[in-house]
Amino acid sequence: MAYQELSQAVAFDAESPAPGALSRMGLLALAANLRSGLSADALRYHFLAEQLSEVVFQLDGPGTFTFLSPTWSSLTGLPVEDVLGQPLVEMVYPEDRPRVRAVLDAIAARVQASFRLELRLLASGGVRWVELAAHSSPTGQGEVLGTLADTTERRQLQARLQQTDRLATLGMLLPGFAHEMNNPLAFMLANLEYLLSSMGDVAGATPASQVAEWREAIAEVHEGAERLRQLIGHLRGFRAESGQGPVDVNTLLDTVGQMVSSTLRTRGRLVRDYSARAPVAGSESGLRQALLNLVLHAVLSLPDGEDTEANEVRLVTRDGTGHVVVEVHDTGAGIPPELLPHVFEPLFTARDARPGPTLSVCRDIVRTLGGSISVSSCLGRGSVFRVTLPRVS
C-alpha cells in the first residue's frame, strides 16, 4: 500500500539500515515518486490514519473495504491485504450483521448521514468488541468513512464490575438470610431429635420393622438439616473480618470443598491430600475467598456432564521450611502457554468471555498475607496453582 511504503521511507534510519533494505537514495526516490502520485490531502489522510490507535477504514457504495489502516492487523490478527475487497458485514459476528446492514442501507439511501454502534468483529483469536463510528463521504459517491475502536477490555471490565456489584449486594443480604434460615433449621433439628427419642413410646404397639423405617427416615432428614446448618455457617463466615490469627488450611479447604460440591458433582470428584500440620497467619475470610476462587476455577475447568470418575480436583497441603504450601490440581484442558503470563491479570479468563473466578484477587490476597502464588499447566492434562503462605511457629 502506498502510505505504508511512504512511511517506511520517512522512518528510514541511515545509520542502521535493515538487511536487504533499500539504500537511502532509493527510499528517498520512492518517497518522491509516491508524493508525485498522491495529492497533499491524500498524503495527510494516509499519514494520520497510520498514527491513530483506532482502525481507519473506507467502504465503497456496496459496503466493501477499499482502505484499512495498519491497526486493523493489531486488532484482529488478520492481514490488511486479505481483507481489502471484502464486505464489512462478512467480518462482523453473524448476530450483529443485520444491524450493520441496516445502517449501511440507511446511509446509501441518504436517510442517515452517520452512525455509531457497538458490535463484534471476527478476529483470528476469537471475537473482539469494537465501537464502529462511520460517516457518509463528502464526495457524494456513496462511500463510507469511519473508525473502529477496540472496546473488548471495557466490556470485560463492565462484566466484572456487574459481577462484583451482585456479590456485594449478596454479601449485604447474606447475614439476614442466614439468620432467617437458622431459625427454622433449629426448630427442625429439635423436633427431629424429639421424634427419635419418642420412638420408644410406640415401639411396643408397632411392628419393629415399621419403627426401624421411621427411625431411618428421621435420621436422613436430620442429616440433611445438619448439612444445611453447616453450609449456612460457612456462608455466614464468608465475609470481611479484621482478625489476624492462626488459620488451619486443611479445615479451610474442607469448607471450600463443601461450598463447591454442587458445582463439582456433574464434573468430577474432589480428592484431599493433606499433610500440613502447621497453621498459617492471616485473615481466615480473606484466605477463604482466595482458596474458593482457586478451587472454583479448577472445578469450572473440568468438562460438565462427562466422566466424573476420570476428572478430579485435588487439594494438596504440605509443610515447608517456614511456610505451608497449598496446591490446587485439576485435570482440565490446561492453559495455553501464551496465556500463562496473563493468568493473574484482572480481566483474564481462560475459557471464554463469561465472568469467572477472579484470579487477580487471589494473587492480591495471598500477597497481602505475605505469601506467593504461581501456576503451571500442560495442555490436555490440567493445571496446578501453588500457594505458599508463612507458617505460624
Side-chain angles (χ1 to χ4, degrees):
M1 297 176 65
Y3 70 93
Q4 290 174 315
E5 295 173 350
L6 178 59
S7 175
Q8 293 169 1
V10 173
F12 176 73
D13 184 354
E15 296 182 0
S16 56
L22 292 174
S23 66
R24 180 176 177 81
M25 294 301 296
L27 282 170
L28 292 175
L30 173 60
N33 289 336
L34 289 171
R35 289 190 181 96
S36 65
L38 292 174
S39 68
D41 287 342
L43 286 174
R44 295 189 189 99
Y45 173 73
H46 289 160
F47 178 77
L48 179 61
E50 191 176 23
Q51 306 309 310
L52 293 175
S53 59
E54 295 87 356
V55 177
V56 178
F57 69 87
Q58 178 177 311
L59 306 175
D60 60 13
T64 299
F65 283 115
T66 56
F67 174 84
L68 274 172
S69 64
T71 318
W72 169 268
S73 297
S74 302
L75 172 64
T76 65
L78 303 173
V80 169
E81 56 270 20
D82 291 350
V83 180
L84 288 176
Q86 300 293 324
L88 167 63
V89 292
E90 295 300 322
M91 303 306 302
V92 173
Y93 192 71
E95 292 182 4
D96 297 335
R97 290 174 184 174
R99 292 191 298 144
V100 177
R101 289 193 183 99
V103 293
L104 290 178
D105 290 343
I107 287 182
R110 298 187 178 182
V111 174
Q112 188 173 346
S114 63
F115 64 89
R116 184 184 297 269
L117 55 88
E118 198 166 19
L119 52 85
R120 289 161 288 184
L121 283 181
L122 300 176
S124 61
V127 174
R128 303 293 296 183
W129 279 96
V130 297
E131 184 179 65
L132 187 150
H135 308 269
S136 177
S137 172
T139 62
Q141 298 178 3
E143 299 166 327
V144 175
L145 305 175
T147 59
L148 298 168
D150 191 356
T151 60
T152 305
E153 288 192 1
R154 188 184 73 189
R155 296 278 302 200
Q156 292 175 340
L157 180 59
Q158 287 174 344
R160 294 289 185 191
L161 290 175
Q162 290 173 2
Q163 182 189 32
T164 301
D165 183 69
R166 287 195 296 269
L167 291 175
T169 302
L170 179 60
M172 290 185 288
L173 296 175
L174 192 57
F177 170 76
H179 177 75
E180 292 300 321
M181 287 292 293
N182 261 335
N183 287 337
L185 276 175
F187 301 151
M188 290 172 58
L189 288 169
N191 286 316
L192 287 171
E193 291 172 0
Y194 168 74
L195 288 174
L196 282 172
S197 63
S198 302
M199 282 295 174
D201 298 339
V202 297
T206 307
S209 59
Q210 183 66 59
V211 174
E213 289 180 3
W214 288 347
R215 287 184 180 276
E216 182 179 358
I218 293 174
E220 289 179 355
V221 176
H222 188 279
E223 180 185 359
E226 180 62 26
R227 288 175 61 185
L228 281 175
R229 186 187 67 80
Q230 293 176 0
L231 180 58
I232 291 173
H234 298 329
L235 292 176
R236 293 181 69 180
F238 192 65
R239 59 190 176 191
E241 57 186 24
S242 57
Q244 295 286 324
V247 179
D248 185 336
V249 292
N250 298 335
T251 302
L252 207 55
L253 283 173
D254 282 339
T255 299
V256 168
Q258 291 179 357
M259 297 179 76
V260 302
S261 60
S262 60
T263 306
L264 181 61
R265 187 173 296 114
T266 59
R267 296 174 181 268
R269 57 197 178 97
L270 185 67
V271 179
R272 296 174 175 86
D273 183 7
Y274 301 159
S275 63
R277 294 293 178 264
V280 300
S283 163
E284 181 175 339
S285 66
L287 187 54
R288 183 191 295 111
Q289 181 180 357
L291 294 178
L292 178 59
N293 279 16
L294 287 179
V295 175
L296 185 56
H297 184 276
V299 169
L300 294 178
S301 74
L302 304 180
D304 193 7
E306 296 189 10
D307 190 350
T308 56
E309 287 300 315
N311 297 312
E312 69 176 34
V313 171
R314 181 178 295 270
L315 308 180
V316 180
T317 66
R318 64 177 184 272
D319 292 319
T321 304
H323 61 265
V324 173
V325 177
V326 179
E327 294 179 347
V328 180
H329 301 241
D330 68 68
T331 57
I335 303 172
E338 65 273 14
L339 294 182
L340 276 178
H342 307 289
V343 163
F344 298 110
E345 293 178 358
L347 298 178
F348 172 81
T349 173
R351 294 177 303 278
D352 49 38
R354 293 176 299 174
T358 307
L359 299 181
S360 63
V361 171
C362 302
R363 177 201 58 191
D364 294 341
I365 292 174
V366 170
R367 286 180 176 176
T368 300
L369 298 177
S372 62
I373 185 171
S374 62
V375 58
S376 59
S377 187
C378 180
L379 285 179
R381 300 183 62 181
S383 305
V384 179
F385 285 86
R386 185 172 293 102
V387 176
T388 302
L389 297 164
R391 61 186 293 179
V392 176
S393 57

